[in-house]
Amino acid sequence: FARNNVFSGLTQTRTIQNGKSAQFPVTGRFTASFHTPGEMIVGQGDMAQNEVVVNIDDLLIADASLYDLQDAKNHYDIRSIYSTELGRAMARTFDKRIARVITLGARTSTGDLTADLPSGLSPDDPYRTGTQIDIAKASPTSDDLVAAVFTAAETLDSKDIPQEGRSLCCTPEMYYTLIQSSRAVNQDFNQQGVNGSYKEGQIAKLAGFNIYMSNNIAQGNVTAPTGEQGYTFNGTTTVKSSVNMTNTKMLAFQQSAVGVVKLRDLQMQMTGNDYNTMYQATLMVSKMAYGCAPLRPECCVEILNSL
């Protein structure tokens, strides 16, 4: 699971001992001003506040039944292969969910703090909404992709998003196209071996983003599966991760973009003698209980190509 999971370490994660949901605070800002001698300081009042409620989904499982006789006939250790594939199945499902949540955050056009803002804060307070960048080219070049990534970085900077913890996840097609850009991997722009290599097919950073590749971005038009409990953003109706990602090519985000709440972390179970006696097989189950939601849409950028 850990080896095949891309998004897990790139989000905010909380573990709770019990409960069906968890709240993440959303807070605004204060302004600074010069003090007038003799004037009483009374404070700016309450900071604008809101919360995101992340619900715990139904138990996510991946299971397999290993028939004893088939196991005996094998000339190799099939149990380790089964456990590896179960972990990969859990990682794929987890990553796809996070990718959909980031996409939903990027498409959020309603700010989460619309009341009780201290006077004089705008335009100092950046918009708290997501961003979509459309490449809009039938055959984008590698330099077109690089330009889109820099636009994403500029967007995050304009919204005062911290530069640390920024990530860019790409489809394999976009990842290897980026590498072929002379602006991304070139000894004239980057020290050899530091940022990437044509020989190794690797690129480490671009426009301040750590670069990752994932097969779990190109999901098509997805309907949230049964068992998903969703999240509540800005006090609205519970949202589930149904989203059309047919045109999504890359996701740029900062670590504060998504919150993951774990009630039960990944576990592996195997049946004992009673089950084996009845079925002459071993049942292997990997399981976890979690929920996730976009916490700060302004930290989410979807790079798509509509053509």
Side-chain angles (χ1 to χ4, degrees):
F1 177 84
R3 285 195 300 268
N4 290 275
N5 194 286
V6 175
F7 289 92
S8 180
L10 309 179
T11 62
Q12 290 192 50
T13 303
R14 285 174 54 186
T15 300
I16 59 176
Q17 299 302 316
N18 50 65
K20 62 181 181 180
S21 64
Q23 292 75 38
F24 285 85
V26 178
T27 57
R29 299 181 177 187
F30 288 128
T31 58
S33 60
F34 292 104
H35 178 246
T36 302
E39 185 174 299
M40 182 183 297
I41 302 175
V42 296
Q44 299 179 43
D46 292 335
M47 175 184 288
Q49 300 179 39
N50 207 332
E51 67 178 15
V52 177
V53 180
V54 183
N55 299 316
I56 300 297
D57 298 332
D58 293 351
L59 191 66
L60 179 68
I61 64 169
D63 57 290
S65 181
L66 176 60
Y67 187 46
D68 283 356
L69 183 59
Q70 184 64 42
D71 187 21
K73 290 181 177 180
N74 291 327
H75 296 283
Y76 45 83
D77 180 16
I78 194 65
R79 291 173 183 261
S80 62
I81 297 175
Y82 272 44
S83 61
T84 297
E85 291 303 322
L86 290 176
R88 287 174 176 170
M90 297 290 282
R92 282 194 300 270
T93 301
F94 185 91
D95 268 8
K96 286 182 178 180
R97 175 76 177 284
I98 300 297
R100 295 198 300 272
V101 165
I102 294 173
T103 304
L104 288 171
R107 297 181 185 183
T108 299
S109 58
T110 303
D112 52 359
L113 292 175
T114 57
D116 301 324
L117 290 172
S119 61
L121 192 59
S122 181
D124 182 58
D125 185 39
Y127 296 110
R128 301 173 68 94
T129 56
T131 303
Q132 290 181 284
I133 298 173
D134 190 355
I135 300 172
K137 291 189 176 182
S139 300
T141 66
S142 56
D143 285 349
D144 291 331
L145 303 187
V146 170
V149 175
F150 273 90
T151 301
E154 178 186 353
T155 298
L156 295 182
D157 287 340
S158 67
K159 296 182 179 182
D160 203 20
I161 305 302
Q163 294 194 1
E164 62 272 11
R166 292 186 183 184
S167 303
L168 178 74
C169 290
C170 316
T171 65
E173 177 189 5
M174 296 297 103
Y175 181 86
Y176 289 112
T177 303
L178 277 176
I179 292 176
Q180 297 178 60
S181 171
S182 60
R183 299 166 60 190
V185 181
N186 190 300
Q187 64 181 0
D188 293 332
F189 298 133
N190 309 285
Q191 294 181 2
Q192 183 67 26
V194 174
N195 190 57
S197 168
Y198 289 114
K199 178 181 69 175
E200 301 295 338
Q202 295 177 345
I203 179 172
K205 300 196 73 171
L206 181 64
F209 293 102
N210 294 309
I211 312 297
Y212 303 92
M213 177 176 60
S214 175
N215 281 320
N216 299 320
I217 294 176
Q219 301 184 43
N221 192 357
V222 181
T223 299
T226 302
E228 185 177 308
Q229 301 302 316
Y231 59 90
T232 302
F233 175 82
N234 205 16
T236 59
T237 306
T238 300
V239 180
K240 298 184 179 181
S241 64
S242 297
V243 63
N244 190 345
M245 298 179 66
T246 303
N247 296 324
T248 306
K249 303 302 181 183
M250 295 181 278
L251 296 172
F253 57 99
Q254 200 266 349
Q255 193 165 13
S256 301
V258 173
V260 176
V261 179
K262 293 183 179 180
L263 178 60
R264 291 183 179 177
D265 210 340
L266 185 68
Q267 300 175 5
M268 174 67 78
Q269 291 180 321
M270 288 195 299
T271 53
N273 292 331
D274 290 344
Y275 183 93
N276 187 273
T277 300
M278 289 186 292
Y279 297 101
Q280 294 298 297
T282 300
L283 180 64
M284 304 173 66
V285 179
S286 59
K287 64 179 184 178
M288 66 185 302
Y290 73 102
C292 59
L295 299 183
R296 297 181 61 189
E298 66 269 28
C299 297
C300 304
V301 180
E302 176 193 11
I303 301 176
L304 61 122
N305 189 5
S306 60
L307 297 181

